[in-house]
C-alpha cells in the first residue's frame, strides 16, 4: 500500500513540475503550497481548538467511540452465551447417545408391528373369502377380494400398498394369496357364466341369427358375472405370457370372458375344419373364412351391447370386447393356417388361391367390423419369411405374364377415353393397364403392417416399371411401335408415378427407406421417373428433328429465291406469301397439326419449342446469313415471317415471336 501511495505522489509531483530538470522554480512554490495545507489540516483536526469553530470530524469520532464500546459489550455477551451453550450441547449429546439404541429398537418394533398387521390383514381377508365363497353373495366376494388386490398402484388394496415397500418376502406372500383366490373366484364366476350362456343357448345354431334375443334375466345375470370377472384381476396379469402359435407368431391371450364367448364357436370350427371332415379342404379356404365372417356378423353387435357396459363399469374404458371377440375368431383361422400353410405352400395354385382369400377376408374384416390394422391378423401367417418370399415370387410371375398380355393383346396402343383427339392427355391402353396392374399390387400389399414387408413389394413395383420401360425400348427399337405412341405411354407413366410419389402411402415408405432424418423429401419413384424423362426428352428431340428435316427438304426454293434482285413492293397491292414458300409452309402446317392431334398436350408444347428453335436457327443461318436483300426482298421476307410463320405458330403460342429470337 505504501509503495502505491509513493508512486501516486511521484506521479503527481512530476505532472506539476514537468520534465525540464533545469526549470525547478515551481518546486519552491509547491513546497510552500503543501506546507500551508498541512498547517490548515492540523488546525482542523486539533480537538483543543477554539470552541467557536466545532468540526464534523470531532462529532464523528465521538459517535464511533460509543459504537465501538457497544459492539465490544455485545461480543462479550455472545462469548458468555457460547460457553453456556457448549455445556448444554455436550450434555444433550451424551443423553442422545444413551437413547439411540432404544430409538432404533422402537423403530424396529414399529416396522415389525406394521409387517405383522399386514400379514394379519391378509389372513383375515383370506378367512373372509373362505367363508364368503361358501355362500351366494357374489358381490361380497368381489368386494373382499378388491381389498386384497385391485391394481398394483391402488392404495385401497393390501398388495397395492406394498408396491413401494422393500419387503420381497411379504410381497411374494401377498401375491401368492392373491393368485390363489383369483383363480378360485375366476373359476367360480366362469362356471356360473358358462351355465348362463348355455341357458341362453349361446353359440347354438339358433344363435346364428341377427334376431337372437335371450331372456332378460339371463342377460342381466351374464352382464353381472362379466362385470365381476372384469373387476377381479390377477396380481401377475400384467406379466401374462403370450400365446405362441408359431415361432414368429405370438398373440396376446384373450380375456376369460371372451374365451367363454368363443368356446362354442371354437368347438364348431374345430369340428368342421379340422381332421378328416369333408369341409376341411385345402383348396377351399373360403369355406372357413366365410363361416367366421358370418359368425362375426351375427353376434358381434350383441356381444358389444351386452358385455361392453360391464367392462365400462369395471373401469376398463379402453377395452372393446366386441373387437376382442372378433380377434378371437380370427385366431381360430390363424391356428388352422399355421398347421396347413406348409402343405399349401408346395402347390403354387393353392397358395395363390389362399392369398386371394386372405386379402379378401382382411378387407371385409376392416370394412364390416372396423377391425384395427394394429390388431393381429391372418396376414401374419403368409408374411412369415419363407412364405413372404413365395408370395412375392408369385406376384412377380403373375405380373410378367400380365405384362405380356398387355403388350401383345388386342390394340394395345389404342387411346382410351371419349373424344380422343380433344383430350389433353393421350393415354394408350397398354400404359393404362400397366398402371392399373401396379395399383392392384399396391392395394394387395397395402394391408401389411410392417414397413419392411411393404418395401419388398415396392421393390417389385420398381422392377416391373424398369421391365416395362425395357420392353418399350425393345418394341421401339425394332420398329414395332412408333415414337408418338411410346412418348404418350411414358408420359402417362411419368405423370402418374410423380403423383404417386406425393401420396401418403409412398411418402411413409420413403421415410422407412431412407430414415426420418433425410434432409430433403424425395419420391420412391425418383429413379424410374428420371429414366423415363431422359428417354422422353431424347424421343421428343428426334421427333422434332425429323419434322424439321422434312421442312428443310421443302425449303430449298424459298432459301434460294431472288432476294438480292427482288423489286420494291407496289404499295397499292397487298403482300402475299412468297410462291417459293408455299410447299415449305404446307409441310410445316401438316406436321404441327399431326403432332398436336397425336401427342399429349404437354409433349406437343415441348416438341413445338424444339421445332421452332431449330427452324429459327436454320432460316437464320441458311437464308438470312447467306443472302443479300433488296428493300423489296427484305419487306417480303419480313411479311413471310411475321404474317405466316409467326401466325402459324401463333395457333399454339400466345407470343410466337419469342420462339424465333434469332
Amino acid at each position: 500500500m505504501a509503495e502505491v501511495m509513493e508512486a501516486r505522489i511521484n506521479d503527481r509531483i512530476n505532472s506539476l513540475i514537468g520534465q525540464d530538470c533545469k526549470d525547478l522554480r515551481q518546486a519552491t512554490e509547491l513546497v510552500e503550497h503543501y506546507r500551508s495545507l498541512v498547517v490548515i489540516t492540523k488546525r482542523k483536526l486539533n480537538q483543543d481548538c477554539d470552541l467557536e469553530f466545532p468540526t464534523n470530524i470531532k462529532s464523528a469520532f465521538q459517535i464511533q467511540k460509543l459504537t465501538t464500546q457497544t459492539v465490544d459489550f455485545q461480543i462479550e455477551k455472545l462469548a458468555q452465551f457460547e460457553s453456556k451453550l457448549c455445556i448444554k450441547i455436550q450434555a444433550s449429546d451424551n443423553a442422545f447417545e444413551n437413547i439411540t439404541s432404544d430409538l432404533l429398537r422402537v423403530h424396529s418394533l414399529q416396522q415389525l408391528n406394521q409387517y405383522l398387521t399386514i400379514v394379519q390383514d391378509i389372513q383375515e381377508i383370506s378367512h373372509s373369502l373362505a367363508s364368503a365363497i361358501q355362500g351366494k353373495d357374489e358381490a361380497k366376494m368381489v368386494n373382499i377380494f378388491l381389498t386384497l388386490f385391485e391394481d398394483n398402484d391402488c392404495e385401497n388394496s393390501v398388495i397395492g400398498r406394498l408396491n413401494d415397500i422393500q419387503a420381497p418376502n411379504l410381497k411374494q406372500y401377498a401375491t401368492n394369496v392373491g393368485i390363489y383366490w383369483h383363480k378360485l373366484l375366476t373359476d367360480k364366476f366362469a362356471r356360473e357364466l358358462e351355465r348362463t350362456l348355455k341357458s341362453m343357448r349361446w353359440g347354438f345354431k339358433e344363435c346364428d341369427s341377427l334376431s337372437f334375443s335371450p331372456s332378460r334375466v339371463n342377460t342381466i345375470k351374464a352382464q353381472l358375472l362379466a362385470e365381476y370377472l372384469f373387476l377381479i384381476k390377477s396380481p401377475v396379469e400384467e406379466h401374462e405370457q403370450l400365446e405362441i402359435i408359431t415361432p414368429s407368431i405370438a398373440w396376446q391371450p384373450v380375456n376369460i370372458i371372451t374365451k367363454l364367448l368363443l368356446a362354442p364357436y371354437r368347438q364348431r370350427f374345430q369340428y368342421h375344419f379340422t381332421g378328416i371332415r369333408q369341409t376341411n379342404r385345402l383348396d377351399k379356404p373360403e369355406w372357413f373364412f366365410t363361416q367366421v365372417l358370418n359368425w362375426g356378423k351375427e353376434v358381434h353387435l350383441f356381444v358389444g351391447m351386452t358385455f361392453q357396459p360391464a367392462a365400462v363399469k369395471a373401469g376398463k374404458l379402453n377395452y372393446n370386447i366386441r373387437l376382442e371377440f372378433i380377434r378371437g375368431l380370427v385366431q381360430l383361422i390363424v391356428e388352422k393356417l399355421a398347421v396347413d400353410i406348409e402343405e399349401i405352400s408346395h402347390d403354387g395354385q393353392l397358395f395363390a388361391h389362399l392369398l386371394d382369400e386372405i386379402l379378401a377376408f382382411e378387407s371385409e374384416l376392416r370394412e364390416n367390423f372396423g377391425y384395427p390394422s394394429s390388431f393381429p391378423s391372418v396376414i401374419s401367417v403368409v408374411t412369415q419369411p419363407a412364405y413372404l418370399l413365395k408370395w412375392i415370387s408369385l406376384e412377380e410371375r403373375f405380373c410378367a405374364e400380365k405384362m405380356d398380355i398387355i403388350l401383345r393383346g388386342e390394340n394395345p396402343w389404342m387411346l382410351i377415353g371419349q373424344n380422343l383427339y380433344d383430350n389433353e392427355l393421350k393415354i394408350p391402353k397398354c400404359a393404362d393397364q400397366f398402371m392399373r396392374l401396379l395399383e392392384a399390387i399396391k392395394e394387395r400389399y397395402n394391408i401389411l403392417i410392417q414397413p419392411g414387408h411393404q418395401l419388398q413389394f415396392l421393390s417389385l413395383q420398381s422392377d416391373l416399371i424398369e421391365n416395362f420401360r425395357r420392353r418399350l425400348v425393345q418394341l421401339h427399337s425394332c420398329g414395332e411401335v412408333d415414337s408418338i405412341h411410346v412418348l404418350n405411354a411414358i408420359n402417362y407413366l411419368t405423370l402418374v408415378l410423380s403423383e404417386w410419389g406425393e401420396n401418403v402411402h409412398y411418402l411413409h415408405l420413403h421415410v422407412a427407406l431412407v430414415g426420418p432424418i433425410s434432409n430433403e423429401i424425395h419420391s420412391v419413384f425418383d429413379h424410374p421417373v428420371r429414366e423415363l424423362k431422359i428417354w422422353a426428352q431424347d424421343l421428343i428431340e428426334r421427333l422434332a428433328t425429323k419434322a424439321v428435316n422434312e421442312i428443310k427438304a421443302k425449303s430449298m426454293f424459298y432459301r434460294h429465291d431472288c432476294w438480292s434482285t427482288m423489286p420494291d413492293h407496289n404499295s397499292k397491292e397487298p403482300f402475299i406469301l412468297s410462291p417459293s414458300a408455299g410447299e415449305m409452309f404446307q409441310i410445316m402446317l401438316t406436321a404441327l397439326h399431326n403432332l398436336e392431334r397425336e401427342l399429349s398436350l404437354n409433349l406437343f408444347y415441348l416438341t413445338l419449342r424444339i421445332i421452332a428453335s431449330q427452324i429459327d436457327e436454320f432460316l437464320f443461318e441458311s437464308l438470312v446469313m447467306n443472302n443479300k436483300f433488296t428493300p423489296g426482298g427484305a419487306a417480303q421476307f419480313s411479311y413471310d415471317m411475321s404474317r405466316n410463320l409467326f401466325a402459324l405458330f401463333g395457333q399454339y403460342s400466345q407470343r410466337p415471336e419469342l420462339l424465333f429470337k434469332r
Side-chain angles (χ1 to χ4, degrees), residues 57 78 165 204 214 231 434 605 616 638:
I57 296 176
L78 286 174
I165 296 177
F204 284 67
L231 281 170
F434 178 70
Y605 286 143
D616 183 40
S638 175

Side-chain angles (χ1 to χ4, degrees), residues 257-271:
I257 304 164
T258 309
K259 192 176 293 185
L260 292 173
L261 293 172
L262 286 168
Y265 294 100
R266 175 178 288 277
Q267 186 178 5
R268 290 169 64 180
F269 186 90
Q270 291 175 345
Y271 176 81

Side-chain angles (χ1 to χ4, degrees), residues 152-170:
N152 285 323
D153 57 350
C154 180
E155 293 292 333
N156 296 325
S157 64
V158 173
I159 297 177
R161 292 199 301 272
L162 293 175
N163 191 42
D164 298 325
I165 296 177
Q166 300 299 322
N169 293 329
L170 181 59

